[in-house]
Amino acid sequence: AVVSTQSGHYGRDIWELITTEHNHITIISTVINSLLTCLKELHNENFLTKINVHDVFLNIERIREVHLAFWNDCIVPLIDTARDTGELLNPELLTESSILFEEDLNHPLFEYCIKYIESRSYIKSQQHKNNDFKEYINWCSNEIRVQHNKLGVDDILIKPIQRIQKYPILIRDILRKTSDDDTRSVIASFLEKVKVFVEALNRRKEEKEEQQKIEGIKERIESYSVLPSVSNNTNDQINQILNKYNKFDLADKVPLLNTQRKFLHETSCKLDSKLDSKTQDVTMFLFSDHILVTRPNKGSKKEKSTDCDSALIPLL
């Protein structure tokens, strides 16, 4: 009745947020109560003991806690107030203090989003190595489909990331249909807080993904020189000075700017030699501040820096 009286008002948008939040908590609870609990019980029976539970499900239990806190702190009072007073759903009650949107480096959602890709890689690799774990994942998929129609393991485990991205849209829809100036001001401030939280989360996630890309490139490269090689006749004092500056780590921040180095592009090409007019196959890695030139190292899966004057070409 409360919703029907708000037809054409913001009531339906509020109800959309409420129902989707309930569905989200239900899905997370399925993961915890069925899938996670099953894996823990298998461990108790000495099955799949080599599988790390946290690497599979991360901190999904803490994720449910913050969503339940939002539900109990904001949504339950919103519904109870409307039911007790017979008045329209009051969107201002959604803005009550909740840990869900608190910008904190230790926030459970930050950890989940940052480690999600690693978790997916872990699950895939373990399925290739362990047939019993593969059977467990197949069981998980069937269990999920029974309870949540057509959803698979991947669909379920990415839900916390998808859900947090949807809050600004849901709150913006409520704001658009709010006519009272005071209420609009409160909702607008809340929307800004949520947007700042989501942007911070996305930024942390992108930084982590960038670090993983660069670490992957580092593993492929055997070595690289910052300065040209020096003559064997150079004395020890000069060598010590040169070695002091002949250190470079792709994972370090950009000097002076103190910003994270970004990997932009990789391409294969041929490099002309000035000495013998020959060409050699090289792979070039473009970063936000440097170009790294490498060539295949025969007999090794890794590549090594070229013999040109400098494997690192600064862009800044």
Side-chain angles (χ1 to χ4, degrees):
V2 172
V3 178
S4 63
T5 58
Q6 291 182 290
S7 179
H9 204 250
Y10 50 63
R12 292 191 181 278
D13 296 301
I14 297 177
W15 202 248
E16 173 72 12
L17 189 152
I18 293 172
T19 54
T20 54
E21 185 70 14
H22 180 269
N23 291 339
H24 181 61
I25 293 173
T26 300
I27 289 173
I28 293 179
S29 295
T30 297
V31 175
I32 295 171
N33 299 337
S34 296
L35 315 188
L36 176 60
T37 299
C38 176
L39 185 55
K40 287 181 176 180
E41 290 179 355
L42 287 172
H43 276 196
N44 292 336
E45 298 296 329
N46 290 322
F47 288 107
L48 297 179
T49 53
K50 293 183 179 181
I51 301 299
N52 188 304
V53 175
H54 186 270
D55 286 345
V56 176
F57 295 106
L58 300 175
N59 60 339
I60 193 73
E61 291 171 300
R62 287 285 292 120
I63 298 298
R64 181 170 66 173
E65 287 178 12
V66 296
H67 282 283
L68 283 174
F70 177 58
W71 181 269
N72 293 323
D73 295 344
C74 303
I75 294 179
V76 170
L78 170 70
I79 297 173
D80 288 347
T81 299
R83 181 185 293 117
D84 293 343
T85 63
E87 297 178 354
L88 304 179
L89 293 169
N90 181 4
E92 291 188 39
L93 294 177
L94 288 172
T95 67
E96 295 297 323
S97 177
S98 171
I99 61 173
L100 180 57
F101 302 113
E102 293 298 329
E103 189 176 350
D104 182 352
L105 294 179
N106 296 319
H107 196 290
L109 277 163
F110 277 45
E111 178 184 343
Y112 192 94
C113 292
I114 289 171
K115 295 184 178 179
Y116 171 77
I117 295 178
E118 293 178 11
S119 173
R120 302 307 306 137
S121 298
Y122 176 79
I123 292 174
K124 289 179 181 178
S125 66
Q126 291 301 317
Q127 286 186 82
H128 289 301
K129 299 175 183 177
N130 190 324
N131 287 329
D132 289 336
F133 181 66
K134 185 176 181 179
E135 287 298 317
Y136 165 76
I137 293 296
N138 289 336
W139 173 84
C140 289
S141 298
N142 293 331
E143 186 73 10
I144 292 168
R145 290 190 181 99
V146 169
Q147 300 190 44
H148 298 288
N149 191 24
K150 297 183 179 180
L151 291 179
V153 174
D154 289 345
D155 302 317
I156 288 288
L157 294 180
I158 202 174
K159 284 292 182 182
I161 299 175
Q162 294 175 333
R163 180 59 184 175
I164 203 67
Q165 304 293 335
K166 195 172 182 180
Y167 285 114
I169 299 172
L170 293 168
I171 298 168
R172 192 179 296 115
D173 288 342
I174 296 171
L175 179 62
R176 285 172 180 165
K177 294 183 182 178
T178 302
S179 56
D180 181 75
D181 290 340
D182 292 337
T183 303
R184 281 186 62 85
S185 178
V186 173
I187 300 300
S189 297
F190 181 54
L191 175 59
E192 189 60 30
K193 176 182 179 179
V194 174
K195 286 168 62 178
V196 168
F197 175 82
V198 174
E199 288 169 2
L201 187 145
N202 288 337
R203 188 165 55 251
R204 287 285 304 279
K205 181 172 175 288
E206 289 171 2
E207 288 174 356
K208 181 64 176 180
E209 291 172 351
E210 201 63 44
Q211 289 173 0
Q212 291 172 336
K213 289 180 186 177
I214 291 178
E215 288 299 327
I217 293 172
K218 286 177 62 178
E219 290 178 2
R220 292 169 55 189
I221 298 171
E222 190 174 85
S223 63
Y224 48 87
S225 301
V226 179
L227 299 172
S229 57
V230 295
S231 169
N232 293 331
N233 297 326
T234 307
N235 64 45
D236 291 341
Q237 185 177 3
I238 294 177
N239 276 329
Q240 288 178 2
I241 296 173
L242 290 176
N243 288 334
K244 180 180 178 181
Y245 295 95
N246 200 21
K247 295 179 181 179
F248 183 84
D249 189 341
L250 287 171
D252 288 343
K253 291 187 176 182
V254 178
L256 302 179
L257 298 180
N258 198 34
T259 57
Q260 184 181 22
R261 177 172 289 106
K262 292 187 177 181
F263 167 67
L264 303 176
H265 187 63
E266 174 184 343
T267 187
S268 298
C269 57
K270 292 185 179 296
L271 189 67
D272 291 328
S273 173
K274 294 180 181 179
L275 298 177
D276 52 16
S277 299
K278 292 182 178 180
T279 61
Q280 58 178 323
D281 294 325
V282 298
T283 302
M284 303 182 71
F285 300 91
L286 175 62
F287 296 91
S288 52
D289 63 325
H290 278 85
I291 297 175
L292 177 62
V293 184
T294 67
R295 62 184 172 87
N297 187 6
K298 294 181 180 180
S300 173
K301 294 182 179 180
K302 292 189 175 183
E303 300 186 20
K304 63 181 180 181
S305 60
T306 64
D307 289 334
C308 63
D309 287 341
S310 178
L312 284 164
I313 305 173
L315 299 178
L316 298 178

